[in-house]
Amino acid sequence: MSEVEKRYQDAKARYAEIGVDTDKALQKLKNVKISVHCWQGDDVKGFLNPDGELTGGIMATGNYPGAAHSPKQLRADLDKAFSLIPGKHKLNLHAMYVDTDEKVDLDTIEPKHFAPWVEWAKENGIGLDFNPTFFSHPMFKDNFTLASPDKEVRDFWIEHGKRSRKIAEYFGKELGQVSINNFWVPDGIKDNPIDRLTPRKRLMEALDEIFAEKLDEKYTQEAVESKLFGLGAEAYTVGSHEFYMGYGITRDKLICMDAGHFHPTEVISNKLSSLALFSKGVMLHVSRPVRWDSDHVVLMEDELIEIGREIVRNDLLATTNIGLDFFDATINRIAAWVVGTRNTQKSLLKALLEPTAELKKLELDNAFTDRMVITEELKDFPYGDVWNYFCEQNDVPVGLDWLKEVKEYEETILSKR
């Protein structure tokens, strides 16, 4: 028996004293697929026009060496990251990450332009999610895409949306896992508008046109994502929270909640229980805002822990699609993936190791003292020993050992790019 397993057995006995079965908790965690975002690996440049500048409320900062410059390099980096993360997961692709020698544009992309990604996913036993790319393009005009007053601009982006749906459907059919296709549209105005209604009407009608064809949800499901504001859209964002709450619920779409897309005093953890009552499900973009949507690497902070608790305590794992969204070019990009994904898994594990039924009963009985004492004592329970055992059982490095592998990969691969 390894030292890690010995510590696990001790932790298992301690959790059993409060009615928690750690083996069951780890089995549940093993079944959770995190959708790891491709854009951390190359600073959100993609391969459609990798030399273009980011526009549409997106900005990556930093110049740490080793960014991926091709699909092959990006997949190699992802291979390394996934080898350090316990469990089998998914990759979240943006439309601009085509892998083809053909000259294509966002309104002409087809499933075949992503075939190498599918082959790679099959080899690794992972799923693929998708996102149309409504930014960093010459047809992103005057800060508008689907809500543009220019019909030519709208038509271009409507066609892109339709083609994106077909690509997500292709992923689902080929891989046997539902591909979540998340729509984020950065349209907005820098200063105070006179007419807030008409652009939202155009956005609604454009989305309705994109989604007009019914696709089998066995293969793909769509999510719609709101935002408080972005660069160049500080005063007015067409796709606000209220807009997409209404649209998602009335159109039977998943609602994407990004941790950085709300007012600094708002948190998405507090919204999940309400959405659970009215929406078919949720797509999460787990991120870490610093004062606004700055997309920092996910750390084990209070809001991440609360997100995990809300999902687990309310039995929402089956209807919540958990994805990551951050991009930091100031640090090793593989380390960023690993830290963010493992922390997200840890937040779920912390919640899975609670005696949830007992805590809910205490709350219902107004036994608030007991509830407080137990939740506080749980903070000192050895969840780390349970996590380390989970890593060992899934054949990934325990503790800081994974950092050694990242540093070696940086020395032998990344530093030579």
Side-chain angles (χ1 to χ4, degrees):
M1 182 183 295
S2 69
E3 184 62 28
V4 169
E5 186 172 356
K6 289 177 184 176
R7 288 180 176 271
Y8 172 71
Q9 294 300 333
D10 290 340
K12 179 178 179 178
R14 189 169 177 194
Y15 277 104
E17 292 174 2
I18 59 170
V20 174
D21 186 329
T22 57
D23 290 340
K24 288 183 178 179
L26 291 182
Q27 185 56 50
K28 285 185 178 181
L29 183 61
K30 188 174 182 179
N31 292 332
V32 175
K33 294 179 182 291
I34 308 295
S35 191
V36 179
H37 56 312
C38 70
W39 50 93
Q40 165 60 39
D42 75 325
D43 308 335
V44 207
K45 292 181 178 178
F47 308 120
L48 190 72
N49 181 26
D51 296 325
E53 294 185 2
L54 288 174
T55 62
I58 297 233
M59 179 182 293
T61 56
N63 58 356
Y64 196 90
H69 300 296
S70 69
K72 184 178 180 180
Q73 288 183 353
L74 184 57
R75 285 193 286 269
D77 294 351
L78 285 161
D79 284 337
K80 173 51 68 174
F82 277 125
S83 75
L84 305 173
I85 298 166
K88 285 291 184 181
H89 299 284
K90 302 176 83 176
L91 177 70
N92 199 3
L93 272 176
H94 243 287
M96 59 184 176
Y97 286 81
V98 294
D99 187 356
T100 178
D101 293 328
E102 292 183 42
K103 185 171 179 56
V104 295
D105 206 342
L106 290 173
D107 65 336
T108 59
I109 54 174
E110 299 178 43
K112 65 181 180 179
H113 301 132
F114 296 86
W117 284 107
V118 170
E119 291 307 308
W120 171 81
K122 287 180 179 178
E123 291 170 3
N124 289 275
I126 64 172
L128 292 176
D129 291 329
F130 201 62
N131 309 259
T133 302
F134 290 97
F135 54 85
S136 298
H137 192 279
M139 289 298 279
F140 180 74
K141 293 188 176 182
D142 301 319
N143 233 46
F144 280 94
T145 60
L146 292 178
S148 173
D150 185 333
K151 186 176 185 301
E152 181 183 0
V153 172
R154 290 199 309 278
D155 286 347
F156 175 90
W157 292 108
I158 288 170
E159 182 63 25
H160 173 55
K162 290 179 178 179
R163 287 173 177 265
S164 296
R165 296 184 75 212
K166 291 296 187 180
I167 292 164
E169 180 186 48
Y170 160 68
F171 289 167
K173 287 181 177 179
E174 288 291 319
L175 299 173
Q177 299 183 45
V178 177
S179 178
I180 306 300
N181 192 8
N182 182 59
F183 282 69
W184 172 67
V185 180
D187 297 22
I189 296 175
K190 185 176 180 64
D191 215 334
N192 296 323
I194 300 300
D195 184 358
R196 289 182 171 88
L197 178 63
T198 304
R200 286 177 171 146
K201 185 172 185 290
R202 288 195 293 261
L203 177 57
M204 178 185 70
E205 291 173 348
L207 288 169
D208 284 346
E209 186 172 343
I210 289 171
F211 297 136
E213 181 183 356
K214 186 171 179 57
L215 301 180
D216 193 335
E217 292 196 347
K218 179 171 63 174
Y219 304 119
T220 182
Q221 293 184 28
E222 283 110 11
V224 288
E225 179 180 2
S226 66
K227 193 169 187 177
L228 179 63
F229 76 96
L231 297 176
E234 289 86 350
Y236 167 68
T237 297
V238 183
S240 65
H241 175 57
E242 294 76 14
F243 175 89
Y244 280 121
M245 277 282 287
Y247 191 89
I249 290 171
T250 58
R251 269 61 171 185
D252 200 31
K253 302 298 180 187
L254 302 174
I255 295 174
C256 179
M257 306 289 286
D258 186 299
H261 283 196
F262 294 88
H263 191 278
T265 60
E266 287 185 283
V267 290
I268 66 171
S269 57
N270 196 33
K271 303 178 188 298
L272 296 176
S273 56
S274 294
L275 278 173
L277 296 174
F278 302 105
S279 67
K280 69 186 299 179
V282 171
M283 173 74 208
L284 291 185
H285 273 187
V286 182
S287 184
R288 179 171 57 100
V290 176
R291 294 184 174 83
W292 74 291
D293 180 36
S294 43
D295 289 300
H296 286 65
V297 177
V298 174
L299 302 182
M300 187 57 70
E301 296 185 333
D302 289 347
E303 173 58 1
L304 180 64
I305 294 170
E306 284 299 320
I307 289 170
R309 286 171 176 165
E310 283 296 300
I311 294 171
V312 172
R313 288 173 175 175
N314 295 303
D315 196 22
L316 300 179
L317 280 171
T319 55
T320 303
N321 303 277
I322 306 172
L324 306 178
D325 186 5
F326 50 79
F327 36 97
D328 191 338
T330 68
I331 62 176
N332 183 293
R333 295 167 183 82
I334 296 171
W337 269 324
V338 178
V339 167
T341 310
R342 286 170 69 127
N343 276 343
T344 302
Q345 291 178 288
K346 287 178 184 179
S347 74
L348 295 170
L349 178 60
K350 280 176 174 279
L352 288 165
L353 292 174
E354 289 183 346
T356 304
E358 175 63 20
L359 290 171
K360 286 185 176 181
K361 183 178 184 304
L362 291 173
E363 187 166 278
L364 189 63
D365 293 340
N366 293 332
F368 301 136
T369 302
D370 291 5
R371 181 193 64 181
M372 180 185 69
V373 170
I374 292 172
T375 54
E376 285 301 298
E377 286 298 317
L378 273 170
K379 294 176 182 178
D380 297 324
F381 269 56
Y383 100 93
D385 291 333
V386 181
W387 167 258
N388 287 339
Y389 180 69
F390 182 65
C391 290
E392 184 173 87
Q393 290 297 101
N394 284 275
D395 298 318
V396 302
V398 173
L400 290 173
D401 289 348
W402 68 264
L403 184 57
K404 299 174 187 176
E405 292 200 28
V406 170
K407 285 182 174 293
E408 181 181 348
Y409 187 82
E410 179 176 312
E411 183 178 345
T412 58
I413 304 295
L414 301 182
S415 65
K416 299 182 179 359
R417 287 181 180 167

